[in-house]
Amino acid sequence: PTFEKGEINFKWSEPLPGQKFRVQVARDEGFHSTVHEAMLAENHLALKSPGAGRYFVRVGVIDQDGFVAPYGRTQQLDVPRNYWPLLLFLPLLLL
């Protein structure tokens, strides 16, 4: 994934003709606390950053004939904390 302007951008392999993707993003490895779920015809997803912390992402394929393949390998993602707003208060602390 890439981080850009408050978004996380995911990209994976190109689909075969007629394939769709199901994508899940969760706070836990068991995907019990899902923060985003989508069904997509394209091989990318732009998601507003869900905030700092550890997340898990998985993608599954649905073939043109309706066959739902199991999800692929789970990817772990660490979204860094944004400290820039706190730096605005640094001059006040130095007074």
Side-chain angles (χ1 to χ4, degrees), residues 40-63:
L40 305 167
E42 59 271 350
N43 67 328
H44 56 89
L45 171 67
L47 179 63
K48 183 180 175 204
S49 181
R54 179 164 288 163
Y55 296 89
F56 299 88
V57 181
R58 63 185 180 180
V59 178
V61 175
I62 300 174
D63 285 332

Side-chain angles (χ1 to χ4, degrees), residues 2-34:
T2 59
F3 299 96
E4 189 176 317
K5 298 179 184 175
E7 284 187 342
I8 304 171
N9 296 293
F10 301 95
K11 189 167 181 154
W12 50 90
S13 302
E14 289 284 333
L16 295 174
Q19 281 185 330
K20 294 179 184 171
F21 298 101
R22 52 193 182 128
V23 183
Q24 287 186 320
V25 180
R27 287 196 170 273
D28 64 293
E29 201 167 2
F31 288 84
H32 302 292
S33 294
T34 304

